[in-house]
């Protein structure tokens, strides 16, 4: 769904930044992201789908270890270009060699040249991408005889990507359309989904597709934090506001002025902090601890929760007014088991990613291994699949396939055909008996899905924990 190319320009040189903005800024084929430090560039490379990095040698302190050299290993498919001052030719040559950059250019760089450079570097990276795909297909077709007993799997470029989110399922495609619509507005966004479904990845994608993309996005995890700590993290404090406050702290809301704050595990904030946050969302005003002054912060809030907030609202555990404020857009990322079509594409994506990291060539995954990966129910969602693939890549043979014998125990044990659902009593039973039979199955299935995590099952079923415990006892369910 993304047609434009993303160019990261890493520089603190106003002339170069202005020149690039003039060359690419208004061009719909490009999205220009400005980074003023190597650190910022590294963070952004991890967060968004970049195609080209142009780095100013003036910002680079270490010829051997810097953002371009790092990108060669961590993001080998992103084209790399170096720009340097006329007296830095030697330094540029050394960095360009280590980073295997496409070329280096001496300043000043005219606008036309910037445009041409971007075009050529991107063409080259597209050509090398096609070369990789073709080589892989060739290798797979040549190996057909050797691997006659397996049918290997390849998505062959059929996957879609929204920044770093990879998918093929219609459910995710729909979600990404909604997320893009959300990104174009200024409304708060609430992202819900089980652990490991990609909530933070989606939040970053929204930020980098909003008009705030050139301002920071800060992340705050709200789980397991006292009110005072959370207050000072977000709203800041003055020196001496409480014991241990040895220096002033700006707070994330002010630090992210013009940008986005991502509040993770929002369900965990206390009732009194819910009031402070509601006030901030209504007024946009920040009062640091220990201060009488009010500051204004223009921040977009994206919140995430892996517990369904509507159920918490119904149970009186989360303020309804805050819930409505947070869900300007409400996005729900489906669990991986609800979209098994994504498993092959993600598997392929993670194989490429981790094979690149450890410098190992892995051709693909065998059909029986993939069938097991697809049949698994993923309580840890995409994170769990990613960890599994990462481990499998590390133990696979150089130039070989990932096969079922590389799977860890949990995956190996997966029955390939899910057992038939328990039939519930329909005939010869009273309505009460039928309802109870259905209820027993629903409770058992939810507990099984959540690996007997009773809080999660209770959340899913809309029961209190005590209510769930009563049903477990009543129906004699156990974790067998
Ligand atoms: N669709 C996807 N494509 C590629 N990688 C994904 C996708 N979804 C999740 N991941 C990867 O899975 C891991 C977990 O993602 P993320 O941290 O965004 O999940 P989360 O929903 O915030 O989890 P938690 O609730 O535990 O905080 C990350 O390494 C992320 O890169
Ligand atoms: Mg998260």
């Amino acid at each position: 769904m993304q047609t434009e190319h993303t160019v990261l320009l890493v520089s603190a040189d106003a002339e170069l930044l202005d020149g690039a903005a003039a060359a690419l800024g208004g061009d719909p084929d490009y999205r220009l992201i400005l980074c003023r430090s190597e650190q910022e560039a590294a963070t952004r490379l991890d967060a968004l789908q970049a195609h080209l990095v142009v780095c100013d040698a003036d910002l680079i302190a270490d010829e051997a270890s810097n953002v371009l050299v790092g990108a060669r290993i961590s993001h080998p498919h992103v084209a790399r270009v170096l720009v340097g001052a006329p007296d830095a030719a030697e330094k540029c040559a050394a960095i360009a060699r280590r980073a295997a950059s496409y070329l280096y250019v001496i300043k000043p760089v005219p606008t036309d040249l910037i445009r041409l450079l971007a075009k050529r570097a991107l063409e080259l990276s597209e050509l090398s991408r096609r070369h990789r795909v073709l080589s892989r297909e060739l290798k797979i077709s040549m190996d057909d005889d050797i691997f006659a007993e397996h049918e290997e799997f390849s998505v062959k470029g059929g996957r879609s990507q929204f920044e770093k989110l990879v998918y093929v399922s219609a459910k995710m495609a729909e979600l990404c359309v909604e997320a893009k619509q959300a990104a174009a507005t200024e409304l708060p966004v609430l992202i819900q989904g089980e652990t490991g479904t990609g909530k933070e990845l989606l939040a970053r994608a929204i930020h980098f597709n909003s008009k705030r993309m050139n301002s920071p996005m800060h992340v705050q995890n709200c789980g397991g934090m006292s009110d005072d700590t959370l207050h000072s993290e977000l709203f800041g404090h003055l020196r001496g506001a409480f014991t241990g406050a040895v220096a002033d702290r700006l707070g994330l809301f002010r630090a992210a002025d013009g940008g986005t704050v991502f509040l993770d595990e929002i369900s965990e904030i206390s009732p009194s902090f819910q009031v402070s946050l509601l006030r901030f969302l209504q007024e946009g005003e920040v009062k640091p601890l220990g201060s009488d002054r009010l500051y204004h912060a223009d921040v977009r809030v994206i919140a995430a929760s892996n517990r369904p907030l509507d159920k918490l609202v119904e149970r009186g555990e989360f303020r309804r007014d805050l819930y409505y404020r947070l869900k300007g857009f409400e996005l729900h990322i489906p669990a991986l088991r609800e979209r098994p079509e994504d498993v092959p594409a993600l598997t392929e994506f993670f194989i490429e990613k981790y094979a690149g990291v450890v410098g190992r060539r892995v051709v693909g995954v065998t059909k029986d291994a993939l069938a097991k990966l697809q049949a698994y129910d993923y309580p840890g969602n995409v994170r769990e699949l990613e960890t599994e693939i990462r481990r499998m890549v590390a133990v696979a043979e150089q130039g070989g396939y990932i096969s079922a014998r590389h799977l860890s125990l949990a995956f190996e044990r997966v029955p390939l055909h899910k057992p038939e659902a328990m039939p519930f009593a329909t005939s010869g039973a009273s309505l009460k008996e039928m309802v109870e039979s259905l209820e027993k199955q629903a409770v058992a299935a939810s507990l099984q899905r959540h690996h007997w995590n009773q809080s999660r099952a209770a959340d899913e079923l809309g029961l209190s924990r005590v209510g769930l415990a009563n049903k477990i006892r009543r129906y004699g369910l156990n974790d067998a």
Side-chain angles (χ1 to χ4, degrees):
M1 50 193 308
Q2 196 174 302
T3 51
E4 83 269 33
H5 289 108
T6 298
V7 178
L8 289 193
L9 174 60
V10 195
S11 176
D13 176 341
E15 200 180 324
L16 182 60
L17 293 171
D18 290 349
L24 307 176
D27 188 332
D29 287 344
Y30 294 101
R31 175 174 61 155
L32 181 65
I33 308 274
L34 306 175
C35 311
R36 287 177 176 77
S37 70
E38 288 193 69
Q39 174 56 36
E40 199 183 339
T43 313
R44 294 198 164 192
L45 266 176
D46 280 336
L48 47 78
Q49 179 65 11
H51 299 89
L52 168 65
V53 191
V54 180
C55 188
D56 188 337
D58 276 356
L59 270 191
I60 294 181
D62 183 344
E63 284 173 16
S65 158
N66 54 63
V67 66
L68 276 192
V69 173
R72 178 185 182 180
I73 295 151
S74 60
H75 300 82
H77 313 322
V78 180
R80 300 170 292 278
V81 165
L82 188 65
V83 178
D87 57 357
E90 216 169 295
K91 177 181 177 187
C92 284
I95 299 170
R97 203 170 44 245
R98 284 183 196 265
S101 70
Y102 174 50
L103 48 70
Y104 73 85
V105 199
I106 301 297
K107 293 193 221 178
V109 196
T111 312
D112 283 350
L113 184 58
I114 296 179
R115 217 174 281 130
L116 191 67
L117 241 169
K119 194 157 183 285
R120 291 285 174 269
L122 292 170
E123 279 167 6
L124 187 82
S125 79
E126 176 59 19
L127 280 178
S128 75
R129 192 188 69 81
R130 284 191 196 180
H131 178 258
R132 272 195 318 278
V133 170
L134 288 175
S135 315
R136 240 181 92 233
E137 283 176 13
L138 184 67
K139 161 88 177 147
I140 287 173
S141 67
M142 288 189 337
D143 282 349
D144 263 0
D145 301 339
I146 315 169
F147 287 89
E149 74 274 27
H150 308 297
E151 269 177 62
E152 312 77 18
F153 166 80
S154 170
V155 175
K156 293 196 178 131
R159 68 187 182 219
S160 305
Q161 206 158 336
F162 177 37
E163 298 302 347
K164 297 278 164 173
L165 281 167
V166 170
Y167 61 91
V168 293
S169 63
K171 284 182 181 158
M172 287 299 287
E174 221 171 278
L175 176 74
C176 291
V177 169
E178 275 180 67
K180 279 217 154 183
Q181 288 168 344
T185 72
E186 285 287 281
L187 292 169
V189 182
L190 175 62
I191 305 177
Q192 306 205 69
E194 289 180 12
T195 179
T197 44
K199 296 183 292 297
E200 185 161 344
L201 225 52
L202 184 63
R204 289 188 192 280
I206 292 173
H207 171 72
F208 284 114
N209 281 269
S210 76
K211 70 177 174 57
R212 298 172 176 267
M213 67 183 171
N214 273 315
S215 299
M217 166 166 147
H218 289 302
V219 177
Q220 177 63 49
N221 192 319
C222 306
M225 288 225 155
S226 74
D227 275 11
D228 278 352
T229 318
L230 200 52
H231 198 106
S232 94
E233 289 294 329
L234 291 173
F235 295 92
H237 64 238
L238 290 189
R239 188 155 72 108
F242 52 88
T243 332
V246 290
D248 290 356
R249 169 171 286 172
L250 190 60
L252 285 191
F253 283 142
R254 286 172 68 202
D257 197 19
T260 305
V261 168
F262 176 58
L263 299 176
D264 207 357
E265 295 195 46
I266 192 77
S267 58
E268 305 309 300
I269 61 175
S270 72
S272 85
F273 198 77
Q274 291 178 27
V275 177
S276 309
L277 186 59
L278 181 63
R279 201 172 308 132
F280 172 71
L281 288 169
Q282 282 165 342
E283 321 290 344
E285 278 168 354
V286 174
K287 194 162 137 217
L289 277 179
S291 163
D292 294 331
R293 270 194 69 180
L294 279 176
Y295 298 87
H296 189 81
D298 165 27
V299 163
R300 185 209 212 153
V301 170
I302 303 184
S305 169
N306 52 30
R307 300 175 64 199
L309 278 194
D310 56 346
K311 302 250 163 67
L312 299 184
V313 168
E314 269 166 35
R315 298 213 295 265
E317 291 169 29
F318 199 88
R319 290 182 72 104
R320 186 176 297 275
D321 45 6
L322 177 58
Y323 170 56
Y324 285 132
R325 268 279 163 183
L326 289 170
K327 63 170 194 141
F329 267 85
E330 192 172 19
L331 304 175
H332 181 263
I333 313 190
L336 187 54
R337 79 187 76 82
E338 292 163 27
R339 46 182 169 107
E341 341 58 295
D342 282 341
V343 170
L346 285 165
T347 299
E348 189 178 65
F349 171 74
F350 291 134
I351 289 178
E352 281 169 16
K353 175 171 168 185
Y354 289 109
V357 170
V358 297
R360 177 165 309 210
R361 234 165 47 76
V362 174
V363 197
V365 54
T366 59
K367 198 177 177 188
D368 50 347
L370 188 67
K372 294 237 168 193
L373 287 168
Q374 249 185 314
Y376 186 64
D377 72 347
Y378 294 99
N381 291 290
V382 184
R383 182 182 290 113
E384 191 176 7
L385 173 63
E386 179 170 5
T387 312
E388 179 69 3
I389 301 295
R390 181 181 198 166
R391 199 191 47 74
M392 288 170 89
V393 167
V395 297
E397 292 83 33
Q398 178 71 282
Y401 290 84
I402 284 182
S403 68
R405 70 193 163 83
H406 297 119
L407 287 167
S408 60
L409 221 55
F411 286 82
E412 215 183 296
R413 283 207 198 116
V414 173
L416 280 183
H417 300 287
K418 291 197 173 162
E420 294 282 307
M422 233 193 302
F424 69 90
T426 47
S427 59
S430 68
L431 179 63
K432 184 165 178 278
E433 283 163 343
M434 283 195 273
V435 169
E436 283 182 347
S437 166
L438 183 62
E439 184 176 72
K440 176 179 176 184
Q441 277 175 54
V443 172
S446 173
L447 283 165
Q448 222 165 28
R449 249 194 315 280
H450 295 287
H451 293 248
W452 276 77
N453 179 327
Q454 294 190 22
S455 312
R456 287 203 176 186
D459 278 346
E460 181 179 71
L461 295 165
L463 294 170
S464 65
R465 286 217 37 188
V466 176
L468 177 64
N470 287 339
K471 298 217 184 282
I472 292 174
R473 208 169 325 113
R474 172 144 154 234
Y475 294 124
L477 300 171
N478 56 51
D479 184 9

